[in-house]
Amino acid sequence: MATNYTYTDAMAQHFVQCQLCPQNSQFYCKPCEVRLCEGCVGIHLQKKSPEAHQFIHYHKLWKNRKLMSEPEVVSIVTCPYTNMLDIARWGGSKFYVCSTLSRHIHKFDFRKSEGVDNSLAPGWPRRLATFGEDIIFTERNENDVKILTKNGEFKTLFSTADWSARGIGCTASGHIMLGLQKLKTGKVAIFDKAGKVLKEIVHDKQGKALYSNPYYVIENKNGDFCATDIVLSAVVVVDSDGGFKFTYTGNPSVDGRFDPHGIAADSLSNLVIADWITRQLHLIDENGHFLRYFDFFPNKFMSESPTGLCIDSQDLLFVCGYDSDKVKVMKYLH
């Protein structure tokens, strides 16, 4: 589909990578459209005369963005299966998806609307996240975290012992974020790549359990940890220290059940939430206030429930669904 949108080598929503090395981006050269860490600014300056460059802090790049009156569909990609569970953005114009119907993790190019590659996983992948140049994932009925390297190799990173690994994400510091469940108890934990627990979030300050089954998890641009919980029918957001911020249980002005699945954060720290029941996407701000709905599939006589979501560093929203073989790429900020 034709569009005048400018694409750069965007990585995942959780980890915006320097385009010259694997470090986090801190600066952006506007004339060259290149993301850079502090250490690579000097290297980039050598490519042209200093007067040809203009650097700004990366987080200021999108601060003036606003909601479009209606989202624009940038691309629709047909996948080889339905029942898709999750989606993860990768370098260039690539993304990965997984489904309950296949052990393969498929890679696609949304600019060309075609498949690129697929890799047969050891088990049945159910959640994906970009981790630098690799993909980390959890599997159905497995209590561990695995990685698909950029070279196509599968490895087990670490075990989660007797906790079932649900949602997975990557933090801006390069650590692994997991939603974990055991019996009727849930928690969100931060691990390093070797499996060392760096932080666990279980209760609020009053000792009340925050989670039951944290199904999808992400970190937003503010460093908040955000999880959808399908047992609580809620989105639970805590700050980087684990302090409770808010719970979102749907738009109170609309009747019906709220059944949150996938979740993604944009450059403004707004959250997009996939609602399985209404087949809509909820958009809320960083404080949990409802902003608007996006209809994932406007024809209410057909069933197409959204599941996995991700947003890249250009604020393009990627949506996969359970009852459809289509991945939709949408633009809703300008």
Side-chain angles (χ1 to χ4, degrees), residues 18-154:
C18 170
Q19 289 176 246
L20 302 184
C21 78
Q23 300 302 313
N24 283 351
S25 298
Q26 296 165 283
F27 299 95
Y28 185 77
C29 181
K30 293 184 71 175
C32 302
E33 297 185 342
V34 174
R35 301 185 313 277
L36 300 160
C37 68
E38 185 174 6
C40 289
V41 169
I43 298 174
H44 182 67
L45 279 169
Q46 298 173 11
K47 295 184 177 182
K48 298 179 182 179
S49 63
E51 295 78 14
H53 301 285
Q54 180 186 355
F55 298 100
I56 61 172
H57 284 281
Y58 189 79
H59 74 276
K60 294 181 179 179
L61 185 61
W62 314 114
K63 69 175 184 178
N64 295 321
R65 289 208 155 186
K66 297 180 180 180
L67 282 175
M68 299 167 59
S69 58
E70 290 296 331
E72 171 190 334
V73 177
V74 174
S75 178
I76 298 178
V77 182
T78 301
C79 300
Y81 39 52
T82 59
N83 294 46
M84 286 181 280
L85 293 176
D86 208 2
I87 185 166
R89 186 75 165 85
W90 203 66
S93 55
K94 312 298 192 304
F95 66 87
Y96 285 86
V97 292
C98 64
S99 164
T100 62
L101 301 179
S102 175
R103 288 171 50 200
H104 288 86
I105 299 176
H106 281 80
K107 181 165 66 173
F108 294 88
D109 187 320
F110 77 87
R111 275 193 251 178
K112 298 179 180 179
S113 298
E114 65 182 19
V116 176
D117 195 9
N118 68 86
S119 302
L120 182 64
W124 294 84
R126 65 178 173 186
R127 301 289 181 271
L128 309 173
T130 309
F131 190 68
E133 296 184 283
D134 305 319
I135 295 292
I136 50 176
F137 62 99
T138 60
E139 292 182 320
R140 189 170 65 200
N141 302 322
E142 297 291 338
N143 294 3
D144 54 27
V145 174
K146 291 185 172 66
I147 189 169
L148 170 60
T149 70
K150 63 179 181 179
N151 299 321
E153 298 177 337
F154 286 98

